[in-house]
Amino acid sequence: MEEPLIICEKKGEGVSVVRLNRPKVRNALNSELRQQMADLFIQLNDDPQTKAIVLTGGDKVFAAGADINDFLTTSTVDMYLRHSERYWNAITNCRKPIIAAVNGYALGGGCELAMHADIIIAGKSAKFGQPEIKIGLMPGAGGTQRLFRAVGKHKAMKMVLTGDMISADEADTMGLVSEVVEDEATITRAIEIAEQLSHYSPIALAQIKEVANLGVDMPLEGALALERKAFQILFNTHDQKEGAKAFLEKRPAEYKGH
């Protein structure tokens, strides 16, 4: 019996670890894997027991991009009719914090997948890149958009036009990743952060994600207004009152997510 293309495990209280599982092809993102990943993120988004998600490809590789064999015969119409944006939207629309744990290659679709996370923990072996230009293509899932917003035009243009890889340390300097650790600590560190977040108010975490993701493309005044409204709304939640009370009473808060 074949192993599943993606594996989900519970780690501690409130943390789900999602692991890509195509090691023989460096976790290449074929349509079947992306569909399964989308279905899983939709499930986790609605799972009250999941407070935070760790996304990884394992100890050796994150994802080396799309399955190139698929490009040999695919036509424009074939590609359009797949509506692959549905797969990515399932991750984009996830209300739970997502921490990517990246070791080894995160190239093409793999780099774009990592950029869908809220926090990226990179092992020292991590290599990021958008090498589509080397096979006569261009990024198609955010490499010319998310990358530009993350690191700025000139750093991003160098990556997408040359197709060259950058190291974990270079990615850290650019602002593409949140933290660099030793390879053996990457997944552990991501789980540690996820466990920390799992003890916070789910509704506050969701509001932070929503406002941050929407506001980044808005004019500043509009984004600040959006932030203020979300801030004000939280004062009518159980979690806000519980958090303030627990702080004053010097005890752990018991958040309910409402």
Side-chain angles (χ1 to χ4, degrees):
M1 184 176 178
E2 286 189 19
E3 280 198 272
L5 300 179
I6 192 163
I7 295 170
C8 183
E9 301 173 318
K10 302 293 183 181
K11 294 287 185 181
E13 184 180 346
V15 177
S16 292
V17 178
V18 175
R19 178 168 61 85
L20 309 182
N21 191 43
R22 298 188 74 204
K24 292 181 180 178
V25 289
R26 296 177 175 173
N27 292 332
L29 302 171
N30 64 3
S31 295
E32 187 179 0
L33 172 56
R34 284 184 291 169
Q35 179 66 67
Q36 290 185 18
M37 183 163 52
D39 292 342
L40 181 55
F41 268 89
I42 290 169
Q43 292 172 24
L44 294 176
N45 191 38
D46 294 331
D47 176 18
Q49 302 305 313
T50 296
K51 310 297 184 185
I53 301 166
V54 171
L55 174 62
T56 185
D59 296 329
K60 302 298 183 184
V61 65
F62 185 70
D67 195 331
I68 305 302
N69 288 314
D70 189 38
F71 294 166
L72 294 174
T73 57
T74 301
S75 70
T76 298
V77 173
D78 291 336
M79 191 60 72
Y80 169 76
L81 291 176
R82 291 179 185 181
H83 291 291
S84 59
E85 67 274 8
R86 295 173 301 170
Y87 307 142
W88 300 104
N89 286 344
I91 306 172
T92 301
N93 297 331
C94 182
R95 297 183 300 275
K96 314 293 173 70
I98 302 169
I99 301 97
V102 180
N103 281 336
Y105 293 126
L107 304 177
C111 185
E112 291 165 325
L113 176 59
M115 288 191 288
H116 277 69
D118 303 299
I119 296 171
I120 302 176
I121 305 300
K124 288 188 177 296
S125 71
K127 299 287 186 184
F128 298 86
Q130 299 288 162
E132 291 88 348
I133 189 65
K134 295 185 176 182
I135 57 168
L137 275 174
M138 62 174 285
T144 65
Q145 303 302 316
R146 294 181 192 279
L147 185 60
F148 278 55
R149 286 161 171 78
V151 306
K153 174 185 175 181
H154 296 100
K155 293 290 188 183
M157 284 294 274
K158 182 181 178 186
M159 288 179 66
V160 299
L161 290 178
T162 66
D164 292 343
M165 294 185 291
I166 61 171
S167 69
D169 287 335
E170 289 176 287
D172 190 27
T173 300
M174 285 183 187
L176 181 57
V177 305
S178 309
E179 190 175 324
V180 177
V181 299
E182 297 295 334
D183 283 355
E184 59 270 21
T186 309
I187 298 173
T188 301
R189 177 61 178 145
I191 292 172
E192 181 181 279
I193 294 173
E195 287 177 340
Q196 178 184 351
L197 301 186
S198 74
H199 291 98
Y200 295 156
S201 164
I203 195 168
L205 290 170
Q207 284 295 292
I208 289 170
K209 277 197 65 165
E210 183 175 4
V211 169
N213 289 332
L214 290 174
V216 71
D217 293 322
M218 293 174 62
L220 180 59
E221 285 304 313
L224 289 171
L226 180 66
E227 180 186 69
R228 285 195 302 274
K229 295 302 181 186
F231 173 76
Q232 293 158 3
I233 285 169
L234 289 174
F235 278 87
N236 204 36
T237 64
H238 162 276
D239 284 359
Q240 184 274 320
K241 296 300 183 280
E242 166 61 12
K245 187 176 180 183
F247 178 82
L248 293 173
E249 294 176 355
K250 296 180 171 57
R251 61 171 174 81
E254 296 181 9
Y255 294 117
K256 305 294 185 183
H258 57 77

